[in-house]
Amino acid sequence: MTPNANGKVKIPTKFYQEDIVQGNNSRSYGIVLRCWHDSDDTPPPQDQHDPLMRPLEKGEVGVSFFPNGIREILPESEFTLVDRMFQPGDLCKRSIDDVRSGVITSVDVKGRLEHAISGEPVPDWKSMNDIETPADVDIGDYVAYDNWIGQVVELFDEAVVDVSNGQLVRLPELSSRLTVGEKGSDIIPPPTYVSHLFGLLSRPVRGSHSDTVVDVKHSVLAISWLAINQSLPTEVAQNASRPERFWSGANLAKLKLVRSRAEWMMRVGDKVILKDAASLPSTRHGKEGEPYGVIEVRVYVVRETQTTVDVLWQDGSIETLPTTKLIPYLNPDEYDCWPGDHVLWKGEDEKRVAVVQSVNALDRTATIRFSDTGTIELASVLELDPHGTNDWSAVAPTTFDGLGVRRGDFVFIHHEGTTNGLEKPKVPRIGEVEPWVRELPVVHPDGHYGGWRKTMAEIGMDIAHRRGPDQIVEGKIRKPGPDDTSLNWFGEVSNLGLDGGVEVTLPNGAVAKFALERLTRLYDTLEQLEDLWGEGSAQGDPEHDHIHDHDTEMWAMDEDGNWQAQSNGGENDEWEETDDEGDYVMDEGEAQIDDIHTADNEVHTSWWDHIVPTMTAVPTEQQDTASVSQVPSSTLRSSSPDVPRDATEKEDVLVDGATVNGVDEDGDKSSHWKRFEVLPEAPRDHAFHNSTPSQPSRNFLARLQKEYRALSSSLPESIIVRAYEDRSDLLRSLIIGPENTPYEDAPFVIDWMLDSDFPQSPPIAHFLSWTNGNGRVNPNLYEEGKVCLSILGTWAGDRSESWSPSRSSLLQALVSIQGLVLVKEPWFCEPAYDKLRGTEEGIINSRLYNEKAYVLSRGFVRRALEVPLGSLESEISWLYHEQGRLAKVLCDARALVEKSRGETTTPPQDPSLATRGDRHRDPAVPRLTAGGIITLERTLAKLEVLQRVPTP
């Protein structure tokens, strides 16, 4: 690294949002607003004129320069990093390829300032001790009043503007869009907007580039009151009245400002007031004798910062570093934890509360202190749950981690001797957002607001109109002083102790330590509104990004149930033609099911009687590669390099004398491994068994006939499906994990239900997750059973990817899951991560995810053998016991464990590796960490018992 012309060191690393950068060929500074690797970087609407909103190419950043306000997208190589912003609780690393991470515990910022209007620099660096405690509040700030905590959700401002002719004019408006020092022709709104300002502008004013804001006063606050003091007696809290929503005038002095440590820090672009500014640059505006007289401005803007932080590393060490030596850790592993974190240790049959003492990130092990005994033990991080939620996602982590608290959280403190009401280490979250706050802004064409904002604007305009004659004076909102203990029932988490205690910084600056069970987390208004409006505005599942199908051709089923490729978007690529009202018009082969019985006791038999004679069943033993090739499996598979080969491409592998992948020469596979079969009754352990069956319609049965044809003739070898005579709406499928993926040889069972309007709506899938609460085995297979795939309507895709009654089928859905979900590198199934393929960050995260997926899916083998699964008992037993697949699983896993330990006891002629050849030069799981070995060996011990004594 060499200094550039300005003497600053150019750091060879990519940039992140909020980085402060300097152009290599100029003295101008900028703030990074967008990066090519941002997880939420999606193409903007086509009519977007913002120069920063076009899609970014790899290596590009979107930067807003100051003070000129220019916004550009440029290559990263044109910038040098000046400062990087962190706040307490943020995660960091030293470099992308460093497996160890840390948590920021404290931040120290110093800045260079200049006058907000003249631009004259202020001598020397200024620290936070030089900044005067602000009397004004901003949107998002917390305020306290009479045992209540609230949050500012809107402001009505009165700005004083020095216009081009030297006149000072007052501009009242709702929005808090202006700050002291802003200039430009857009400061004064157009005449159509200001026509309702009651003549507060003393004369017609046209916007000029020299118009300058010289003062801003927040005259009305809208406050969302979230929760009451949790240490109050129940009867007192229940009878307490919620404070008013609008605050103004002298009443503002009754409020107390409660800001986080992060909010007190200087950031580039902030406007600040210094404690000792008598000899510092200032400007004067206005004239004596005018309504506003002369206004002297001593407001300064932060132009450059230098930030240092204290970092608590996973191994327990603490270090003070400049932030330019660190990078944000944006994509944490779901098992990541840090000293002081409260976690659940999940064993075979028990869960125990523990506190993390230290973590060896390389080995994926952690030293934990069990809360019940105080003993300290070594554990695999794969057995730790730091979140307490089943749908955790690194792309979009839940706003509420159910276990423990984090640094930077605001918490209520319960009275000594009482608790938050939950079993440790769970911590509740409270914060009621009143209905009025949820109202979306309504602005009429004339600039007037609707709803509660109209009421607020009317209050603000009345104050502005009366300000001259009535001499209205606003009260000052202050931060609680050191001797003020009135708010010591609320505070910010500042540290986590290794003994489980939590340090809380109180509003008066004092620090106290509390037991975890005495704390309740604050769920603030802005978080809730973001969650509410975010869910309402997105299609599909907004919480998680998921894979998209990559079909390039459309496929349709012919009369015999075979798939044929059709042109994309063609008019003749449908299974059935429809009439004008959208009902199916059946062909002659379907006409015989026209007369359907309607009585419940007849439907369960008659529907099957009508379908069976017309099905062209293809015996499983007669299926060959040619018949299976009719399935569009190649087009259902992703174009990414980690898609596994189809099951039909597998080779035979000899393990302990048994043929594993193929068929034993003396075995009768057809009698044990029927890919499709209709059984008399649906099993009681089917996920949808208790659902109310719908009356099968004529169209439903016509379509089911074609679905059955396709399943009976074209299923890949490693997928079997069972249908049921008594429940035409239910199916159960078993998919064996593809070769050279972390899912190899593992059973994946999905239960299906066909809605009454199938095929107009996609089939409903429920994945049987057997992870024991230790996380998802795949980003698209949720622990609660959801299968996230665009063809199933559980993720928004484009037309070619979504379910279509004419182009989609159960067969397509099954092959999509095998080919697009159970892949070699499932971490990249998240589209937000696909752009990181080939990067060091992507390689590391993918390797860690593969280890988890491999270890968890070995547990799937155990679960399938220990608890017989309805409709599939004999098939699973035959595959794993009689055909030796269990022996192969054990042999492969033991070889991987030995390889990972660096042992060389495995003979080169090990039969489990004999026929794999070149395909295993780049295995999906090349090695295991120590933590992975600990967890895997628990499962292997159980599997070895099952191998010796098969479950009856």
Side-chain angles (χ1 to χ4, degrees):
M1 295 185 295
T2 58
N4 63 13
N6 295 320
K8 295 189 180 294
V9 175
K10 182 177 180 181
I11 299 177
T13 183
K14 63 184 179 183
F15 299 110
Y16 299 85
Q17 288 186 17
E18 297 189 23
D19 280 355
I20 309 303
V21 296
Q22 184 179 28
N24 291 337
N25 300 319
S26 69
R27 297 187 60 186
S28 62
Y29 292 95
I31 302 176
V32 175
L33 300 183
R34 292 182 63 214
C35 304
W36 65 269
H37 53 82
D38 292 341
S39 61
D40 59 349
D41 188 33
T42 56
Q46 294 300 313
D47 59 352
Q48 179 61 253
H49 299 295
D50 188 331
L52 290 191
M53 292 309 294
R54 72 162 172 81
L56 299 182
E57 301 294 334
K58 187 173 182 178
E60 288 186 330
V61 290
V63 179
S64 176
F65 293 92
F66 54 85
N68 55 30
I70 295 175
R71 297 156 67 89
E72 288 186 276
I73 292 177
L74 296 167
E76 289 178 319
S77 58
E78 295 190 14
F79 296 98
T80 298
L81 180 65
V82 175
D83 198 17
R84 176 161 283 155
M85 303 305 298
F86 285 100
Q87 61 187 43
D90 283 351
L91 304 178
C92 64
K93 286 186 173 185
R94 276 189 172 273
S95 63
I96 293 176
D97 58 353
D98 190 357
V99 295
R100 184 184 69 161
S101 61
V103 59
I104 305 296
T105 58
S106 65
V107 181
D108 181 55
V109 185
K110 61 180 182 180
R112 286 194 179 278
L113 314 180
E114 61 185 44
H115 192 270
I117 295 177
S118 69
E120 186 176 350
V122 174
D124 304 323
W125 290 88
K126 300 298 180 182
S127 70
M128 291 308 303
N129 291 329
D130 298 316
I131 306 299
E132 184 178 289
T133 301
D136 281 333
V137 297
D138 203 352
I139 291 177
D141 279 342
Y142 298 126
V143 292
Y145 171 75
D146 191 26
N147 283 310
W148 284 86
I149 289 294
Q151 190 170 28
V152 178
V153 294
E154 188 59 274
L155 297 168
F156 188 93
D157 289 346
E158 288 184 42
V160 177
V161 182
D162 187 344
V163 298
S164 56
N165 59 5
Q167 176 190 7
L168 296 184
V169 299
R170 187 152 37 100
L171 179 62
E173 62 178 356
L174 184 75
S175 71
S176 187
R177 70 182 177 98
L178 301 175
T179 60
V180 173
E182 292 194 51
K183 299 181 180 181
S185 58
D186 57 348
I187 298 296
I188 303 295
T192 55
Y193 175 83
V194 300
S195 60
H196 63 285
L197 295 185
F198 304 109
L200 290 173
L201 300 179
S202 58
R203 71 181 78 172
V205 177
R206 289 189 176 183
S208 167
H209 290 290
S210 61
D211 292 347
T212 305
V213 179
V214 298
D215 188 34
V216 176
K217 185 186 302 293
H218 303 314
S219 60
V220 188
L221 279 60
I223 300 175
S224 169
W225 296 101
L226 293 161
I228 198 169
N229 179 355
Q230 296 296 292
S231 67
L232 293 175
T234 303
E235 60 276 9
V236 175
Q238 289 178 343
N239 294 323
S241 299
R242 191 178 295 268
E244 296 292 329
R245 66 179 70 170
F246 301 125
W247 289 71
S248 61
N251 286 334
L252 293 174
K254 299 177 183 179
L255 302 174
K256 295 180 180 179
L257 182 62
V258 184
R259 273 186 170 169
S260 67
R261 292 177 294 164
E263 291 299 323
W264 291 114
M265 297 186 305
M266 282 186 288
R267 296 179 182 272
V268 169
D270 284 354
K271 306 295 174 60
V272 300
I273 298 174
L274 296 172
K275 293 178 180 178
D276 184 10
S279 60
L280 297 181
S282 65
T283 57
R284 293 169 62 86
H285 306 267
K287 300 176 182 179
E288 296 290 349
E290 294 288 333
Y292 296 104
V294 176
I295 295 179
E296 186 173 30
V297 178
R298 294 186 181 274
V299 177
Y300 306 92
V301 61
V302 180
R303 287 305 184 201
E304 185 180 355
T305 56
Q306 287 185 358
T307 308
T308 57
V309 294
D310 289 337
V311 183
L312 172 63
W313 297 107
Q314 285 179 299
D315 59 12
S317 61
I318 299 175
E319 200 170 4
T320 302
L321 294 167
T323 55
T324 52
K325 299 292 185 182
L326 301 168
I327 64 169
Y329 185 21
L330 300 179
N331 301 313
D333 183 76
E334 65 184 293
Y335 300 106
D336 271 330
C337 47
W338 295 267
D341 282 356
H342 292 79
V343 298
L344 279 177
W345 176 83
K346 296 182 177 180
E348 294 288 337
D349 302 305
E350 64 175 334
K351 297 179 182 179
R352 298 176 65 186
V353 178
V355 178
V356 176
Q357 307 294 294
S358 64
V359 177
N360 185 323
L362 184 62
D363 288 346
R364 298 189 94 179
T365 58
T367 303
I368 59 175
R369 179 181 184 271
F370 286 109
S371 300
D372 52 358
T373 63
T375 57
I376 296 178
E377 298 184 17
L378 183 69
S380 165
V381 298
L382 299 183
E383 298 171 341
L384 301 182
D385 178 6
H387 307 287
T389 178
N390 290 338
D391 61 355
W392 189 92
S393 168
V395 171
T398 56
T399 57
F400 170 50
D401 287 338
L403 303 184
V405 292
R406 304 290 181 262
R407 295 166 182 85
D409 285 347
F410 272 100
V411 292
F412 293 91
I413 303 163
H414 294 260
H415 194 276
E416 189 172 1
T418 63
T419 72
N420 56 32
L422 294 185
E423 183 180 358
K424 189 178 177 181
K426 293 182 179 179
V427 177
R429 180 178 59 175
I430 62 173
E432 179 186 355
V433 177
E434 299 171 274
W436 66 271
V437 182
R438 300 171 184 265
E439 181 184 300
L440 290 169
V442 176
V443 184
H444 299 294
D446 61 359
H448 287 81
Y449 285 87
W452 64 264
R453 290 175 178 82
K454 176 182 179 182
T455 303
M456 184 179 181
E458 289 172 349
I459 295 173
M461 292 302 300
D462 179 66
I463 292 173
H465 190 70
R466 295 186 292 108
R467 185 172 299 280
D470 293 352
Q471 296 297 313
I472 295 175
V473 177
E474 273 78 18
K476 296 293 185 181
I477 304 175
R478 294 293 184 185
K479 178 183 177 183
D483 299 327
D484 185 352
T485 61
S486 63
L487 298 180
N488 283 5
W489 42 267
F490 185 74
E492 179 187 0
V493 175
S494 50
N495 206 3
L496 304 176
L498 298 182
D499 60 354
V502 180
E503 288 187 5
V504 178
T505 299
L506 304 173
N508 65 357
V511 177
K513 193 170 185 177
F514 301 96
L516 181 68
E517 57 267 27
R518 287 183 58 190
L519 304 178
T520 289
R521 184 185 292 104
L522 173 67
Y523 187 19
D524 77 21
T525 303
L526 301 187
E527 277 187 303
Q528 294 187 59
L529 293 181
E530 182 178 349
D531 293 344
L532 176 68
W533 293 339
E535 292 177 6
S537 61
Q539 294 181 349
D541 180 0
E543 294 182 7
H544 307 282
D545 289 321
H546 298 281
I547 67 173
H548 295 272
D549 308 49
H550 297 279
D551 305 39
T552 57
E553 294 178 287
M554 297 298 182
W555 288 77
M557 186 180 290
D558 63 20
E559 292 299 325
D560 297 322
N562 298 320
W563 284 92
Q564 301 293 336
Q566 305 289 339
S567 60
N568 239 341
E571 296 182 359
N572 299 315
D573 60 349
E574 302 195 353
W575 285 23
E576 298 91 3
E577 295 181 358
T578 60
D579 61 20
D580 293 339
E581 296 182 2
D583 293 327
Y584 285 103
V585 178
M586 295 179 293
D587 56 30
E588 293 181 0
E590 296 164 344
Q592 57 185 296
I593 67 173
D594 186 53
D595 184 17
I596 301 295
H597 296 285
T598 58
D600 290 343
N601 62 346
E602 295 176 321
V603 168
H604 290 166
T605 56
S606 61
W607 76 266
W608 177 244
D609 292 337
H610 288 90
I611 288 184
V612 170
T614 62
M615 285 183 57
T616 306
V618 179
T620 305
E621 63 269 20
Q622 296 178 6
Q623 296 183 30
D624 54 20
T625 304
S627 66
V628 175
S629 66
Q630 294 171 347
V631 183
S633 57
S634 61
T635 63
L636 290 172
R637 293 162 59 187
S638 169
S639 58
S640 63
D642 66 343
V643 174
R645 297 183 305 141
D646 291 333
T648 52
E649 300 174 32
K650 288 187 177 180
E651 299 176 356
D652 291 348
V653 176
L654 189 66
V655 177
D656 296 335
T659 302
V660 176
N661 283 341
V663 182
D664 195 334
E665 292 181 1
D666 298 326
D668 182 9
K669 184 173 183 179
S670 64
S671 62
H672 296 285
W673 192 258
K674 295 181 180 179
R675 300 181 193 176
F676 178 74
E677 187 175 12
V678 181
L679 303 179
E681 296 182 357
R684 293 187 176 276
D685 60 0
H686 192 287
F688 302 108
H689 185 271
N690 293 329
S691 64
T692 302
S694 59
Q695 175 70 39
S697 66
R698 183 175 60 182
N699 291 336
F700 178 95
L701 296 177
R703 177 55 174 263
L704 199 61
Q705 174 185 340
K706 291 194 172 186
E707 294 284 357
Y708 281 5
R709 286 200 197 113
L711 293 174
S712 64
S713 64
S714 301
L715 277 171
E717 181 181 355
S718 55
I719 301 178
I720 63 176
V721 176
R722 298 293 176 257
Y724 307 101
E725 294 182 22
D726 67 331
R727 290 292 300 269
S728 61
D729 59 332
L730 302 185
L731 299 99
R732 170 165 280 178
S733 62
L734 169 65
I735 304 174
I736 302 301
E739 181 184 13
N740 199 22
T741 71
Y743 309 111
E744 183 170 349
D745 300 321
F748 292 83
V749 179
I750 299 175
D751 285 344
W752 301 84
M753 181 172 70
L754 309 180
D755 204 347
S756 59
D757 65 345
F758 177 82
Q760 296 304 314
S761 62
I764 303 170
H766 181 90
F767 168 62
L768 302 188
S769 178
W770 298 322
T771 62
N772 194 35
N774 283 328
R776 296 185 207 168
V777 74
N778 181 281
N780 297 82
L781 301 176
Y782 288 35
E783 285 193 274
E784 66 268 27
K786 180 177 179 180
V787 179
C788 200
L789 199 65
S790 58
I791 193 174
L792 300 180
T794 48
W795 173 249
D798 60 34
R799 181 178 181 274
S800 65
E801 299 169 346
S802 302
W803 177 267
S804 166
S806 62
R807 297 185 304 272
S808 306
S809 71
L810 291 168
L811 176 63
Q812 186 182 16
L814 287 162
V815 179
S816 293
I817 293 171
Q818 184 187 60
L820 297 175
V821 175
L822 302 178
V823 294
K824 183 177 180 180
E825 294 183 290
W827 190 77
F828 296 109
C829 283
E830 300 278 12
Y833 293 161
D834 191 62
K835 66 179 70 175
L836 298 178
R837 191 183 294 274
T839 66
E840 291 182 346
E841 181 179 7
I843 292 171
I844 293 172
N845 282 283
S846 179
R847 177 179 64 80
L848 294 177
Y849 199 98
N850 275 20
E851 177 184 63
K852 176 193 78 165
Y854 178 80
V855 171
L856 290 179
S857 61
R858 300 313 93 184
F860 281 32
V861 179
R862 174 196 167 190
R863 169 58 174 76
L865 294 173
E866 283 186 338
V867 184
L869 202 63
S871 305
L872 300 173
E873 306 98 318
S874 61
E875 288 83 355
I876 289 175
S877 178
W878 176 83
L879 176 67
Y880 286 101
H881 290 304
E882 297 180 36
Q883 292 300 297
R885 189 67 66 98
L886 176 56
K888 176 179 180 294
V889 169
L890 286 166
C891 187
D892 287 352
R894 285 297 180 194
L896 181 59
V897 168
E898 292 173 359
K899 175 186 175 183
S900 302
R901 285 175 169 164
E903 298 175 1
T904 57
T905 56
T906 304
Q909 298 81 16
D910 190 310
S912 69
L913 305 175
T915 61
R916 297 189 184 186
D918 294 342
R919 286 195 301 275
H920 279 253
R921 289 180 179 176
D922 181 25
V925 186
R927 62 176 296 275
L928 298 172
T929 63
I933 292 173
I934 291 173
T935 304
L936 178 60
E937 286 197 321
R938 297 188 200 275
T939 300
L940 296 182
K942 299 288 185 179
L943 289 176
E944 286 168 349
V945 173
L946 292 171
Q947 184 184 36
R948 293 192 297 269
V949 185
T951 302

